[in-house]
Amino acid sequence: NLSSFILILCFPQGMKEKFLQYSAENELLPVKGCVLAAVSGGIDSMVMLNLYLRSGIQVAIAHCNFSLRAEESDGDEELVKSVAMQYNLPFHTTRFNTSEFAVSNGLSIQMAARELRYRWFEEIRQSNGYESVAVAHNMNDNAETFFINLLRGTGINGLTGMKPKNGFIIRPLLFASREEITSYARDYKIQYREDSSNAQVKYTRNKIRHKIFPILREINSDALKSITSTMERLTGTAVIAAGKISEIHSRVFSEQEGEIYVDIHKLQSEIKDKTLMFELFRQYNLTPAQCNELNDLLGASSGKVLFTSSHRIIKDRNRLIITSQELADHYGFCFQNLNEMTDSGPFSEVRIEEAGNVIVNPDRYSAFLDADLITFPLNYRRWKPGDRFVPFGMNGMKKVSDFLVDCKIPLSEKEKVYVLQTGEEIIWLTGYRIDNRFRITE
């Protein structure tokens, strides 16, 4: 009996083939237009650019000079510009004063650079009609992000890592490890520049990269793949959880004329833990640290307010009213009469009493004012520079800004302060001091 044997020889799938397959599976390939590649001059983005060129995909280049490393930054720009000229590619470049932007906006250097570049990428994409903006994050970057979010504290979505596609931002290298990228750059003799800051362990990401990951690889040589697989499973779990959250949201939340209304009784019957509370309100930029504050708001008196970075949440009887900060700041509240005030979240407990029946009970969230001196309409709005009033107990005018400084109110709290106004006069710096001219006299 004779047996036949066949020898099969297979080359491993090349980097270009993996690149095209991953891009196709995640719908990252342009339909008929051009991709704007964000190219820093570092190894990841130079490899990404090379893969686009070898794949015959139409591409343009965007390069940011953050003015952080003097001649080194200028050298990066020159390299990227030379490659664009070599392949006759559209080249967009800009220079940022990143340090100044970081200081003026209270951001870290890394966060400032991120905000500046993504804002500029979108401007370039729109003005030139590019289909997408490709950034060169790789598998290692994604795993590092997992640990950064884990250490900061996050919900399940924070542990799912970066997505291949987020709006117009695409990440076609997430399939590749840093080792694969280095090997590819060596094989194809790709010129790139090393960012000296990558070796500095003062940054959280670099500490994870240079100190934690080597230890993880000692424990498990396939640690990177294991972490990536975990993120993929968490992504699936997050999808299931999102479906449940959406069901609860539809039962508890309603919308009318740009405002979101939350039925407190239904909310309390649906929610049994802080995790669910956080996930329900996360779209309004509630932070995990604010969950306790939101829970307190449910049992608070009408008019109490909670601010997130993007929304204002007001307790109003048996409901919460959620308004975007932009809408809230633009319109504030304008009350034409007492009934409109009682229908509002902030002043639903307002009332007029005969002077002889009043018992003054000082409370920073209550104001006792002479009704004869107040005329409608009343405006309730955020304070602004130039606002002045006469603080209770004083005779002279004082700027609201100076008053808040004297009270040592932190910047984060200053932004949340509102005033109640009759005509052009402030009658109450809410939560802090009434105007002395509108006080109750004997």
Side-chain angles (χ1 to χ4, degrees):
N1 294 326
L2 298 176
S3 297
S4 297
F5 295 90
I6 300 174
L7 177 64
I8 302 175
L9 297 175
C10 295
F11 285 108
Q13 190 178 30
M15 187 78 153
K16 187 183 85 168
E17 289 71 31
K18 289 182 181 180
F19 175 79
L20 289 172
Q21 180 179 334
Y22 184 81
S23 295
E25 289 174 351
N26 292 281
E27 301 180 344
L28 308 182
L29 295 172
V31 177
K32 56 182 178 180
C34 179
V35 174
L36 178 65
V39 183
S40 67
I43 187 170
D44 298 332
S45 61
M46 294 298 282
V47 163
M48 179 181 73
L49 177 61
N50 180 273
L51 287 167
Y52 272 122
L53 293 172
R54 286 188 61 219
S55 301
I57 296 171
Q58 189 178 358
V59 65
I61 294 177
H63 175 80
C64 302
N65 187 327
F66 293 105
S67 307
L68 293 172
R69 294 176 289 116
E71 293 180 1
E72 193 176 334
S73 293
D74 295 338
D76 296 346
E77 183 176 347
E78 287 301 316
L79 171 63
V80 178
K81 183 179 180 180
S82 68
V83 173
M85 293 176 63
Q86 178 184 349
Y87 291 98
N88 196 28
L89 301 175
F91 179 63
H92 308 275
T93 185
T94 190
R95 188 177 294 254
F96 298 119
N97 190 332
T98 311
S99 298
E100 182 179 305
F101 182 82
V103 171
S104 61
N105 290 274
L107 299 171
S108 68
I109 290 293
Q110 289 177 312
M111 289 304 297
R114 184 184 189 281
E115 185 169 331
L116 286 168
R117 68 176 175 268
Y118 280 111
R119 184 192 301 170
W120 181 67
F121 289 158
E122 181 59 13
E123 291 173 1
I124 297 299
R125 187 197 68 78
Q126 288 189 23
S127 60
N128 292 272
Y130 298 129
E131 281 197 23
S132 55
V133 178
V135 294
H137 293 124
N138 59 46
M139 188 185 293
N140 292 65
D141 295 323
N142 214 7
E144 291 158 9
T145 300
F146 173 90
F147 279 98
I148 289 171
N149 290 340
L150 183 66
L151 292 170
R152 286 174 178 164
T154 184
I156 188 171
N157 288 283
L159 299 178
T160 59
M162 294 179 278
K163 302 297 181 288
K165 189 173 188 178
N166 184 11
F168 293 104
I169 301 296
I170 61 174
R171 297 180 174 89
L173 282 191
L174 283 183
F175 72 92
S177 68
R178 191 164 286 126
E179 289 75 14
E180 289 176 296
I181 291 170
T182 301
S183 177
Y184 180 88
R186 182 176 59 249
D187 292 344
Y188 283 86
K189 298 180 173 57
I190 295 173
Q191 188 178 2
Y192 63 89
R193 287 175 61 85
E194 190 67 51
D195 185 342
S196 61
S197 66
N198 287 336
Q200 298 174 7
V201 293
K202 66 178 181 179
Y203 299 117
T204 300
R205 183 177 294 275
N206 287 352
K207 287 179 182 176
I208 292 171
R209 178 179 303 173
H210 297 301
K211 292 181 177 258
I212 295 178
F213 263 74
I215 296 174
L216 292 177
R217 281 192 287 267
E218 287 179 13
I219 298 171
N220 178 2
S221 59
D222 285 330
L224 183 60
K225 290 183 179 178
S226 297
I227 295 166
T228 302
S229 296
T230 298
M231 286 192 289
E232 290 173 354
R233 287 192 291 273
L234 286 172
T235 299
T237 304
V239 171
I240 297 170
K244 178 66 175 176
I245 296 298
S246 180
E247 289 177 14
I248 297 174
H249 193 280
S250 65
R251 291 195 291 269
V252 177
F253 292 66
S254 60
E255 183 173 358
Q256 184 178 348
E257 297 181 354
E259 291 186 326
I260 309 294
Y261 297 96
V262 183
D263 187 305
I264 290 177
H265 292 317
K266 289 182 180 179
L267 180 68
Q268 290 175 324
S269 66
E270 294 276 4
I271 292 181
K272 304 302 179 187
D273 59 57
K274 293 178 184 177
T275 300
L276 192 52
M277 176 85 83
F278 170 69
E279 293 297 335
L280 268 177
F281 285 84
R282 188 165 59 87
Q283 63 182 297
Y284 309 113
N285 285 317
L286 185 82
T287 65
Q290 288 181 305
C291 281
N292 286 336
E293 197 174 345
L294 179 61
N295 193 57
D296 292 340
L297 190 67
L298 300 181
S301 58
S302 292
K304 295 297 177 66
V305 185
L306 168 63
F307 291 91
T308 71
S309 61
S310 59
H311 287 77
R312 179 183 67 190
I313 306 175
I314 297 176
K315 168 70 181 296
D316 178 29
R317 298 184 180 87
N318 295 319
R319 66 181 182 176
L320 300 178
I321 303 174
I322 305 174
T323 310
S324 71
Q325 290 283 27
E326 183 178 354
L327 192 63
D329 290 348
H330 181 71
Y331 292 108
F333 290 88
C334 182
F335 305 113
Q336 299 298 327
N337 51 56
L338 199 67
N339 288 335
E340 287 190 6
M341 292 190 78
T342 58
D343 287 339
S344 74
F347 300 103
S348 55
E349 295 183 10
V350 67
R351 63 189 184 275
I352 294 179
E353 292 188 2
E354 290 291 337
N357 298 329
V358 174
I359 299 175
V360 177
N361 182 20
D363 179 310
R364 65 175 294 192
Y365 294 108
S366 301
F368 297 84
L369 304 162
D370 188 336
D372 289 332
L373 300 178
I374 296 171
T375 56
F376 285 94
L378 298 183
N379 292 312
Y380 180 60
R381 59 168 176 80
R382 271 185 199 248
W383 77 278
K384 59 188 178 185
D387 279 344
R388 295 171 178 269
F389 78 128
V390 181
F392 180 75
M394 297 176 61
N395 294 317
M397 281 282 189
K398 192 175 185 71
K399 287 184 178 180
V400 169
S401 58
D402 292 340
F403 177 86
L404 295 174
V405 168
D406 292 344
C407 292
K408 296 182 171 57
I409 308 302
L411 180 61
S412 59
E413 293 301 315
K414 284 182 188 177
E415 296 171 350
K416 304 174 183 179
V417 177
Y418 276 62
V419 297
L420 185 64
Q421 188 174 23
T422 178
E424 297 299 318
E425 308 294 344
I426 292 173
I427 61 178
W428 185 21
L429 185 64
T430 56
Y432 292 94
R433 196 76 63 87
I434 66 168
D435 188 293
N436 196 62
R437 294 168 295 178
F438 298 89
R439 73 191 186 282
I440 298 174
T441 64
E442 292 184 7

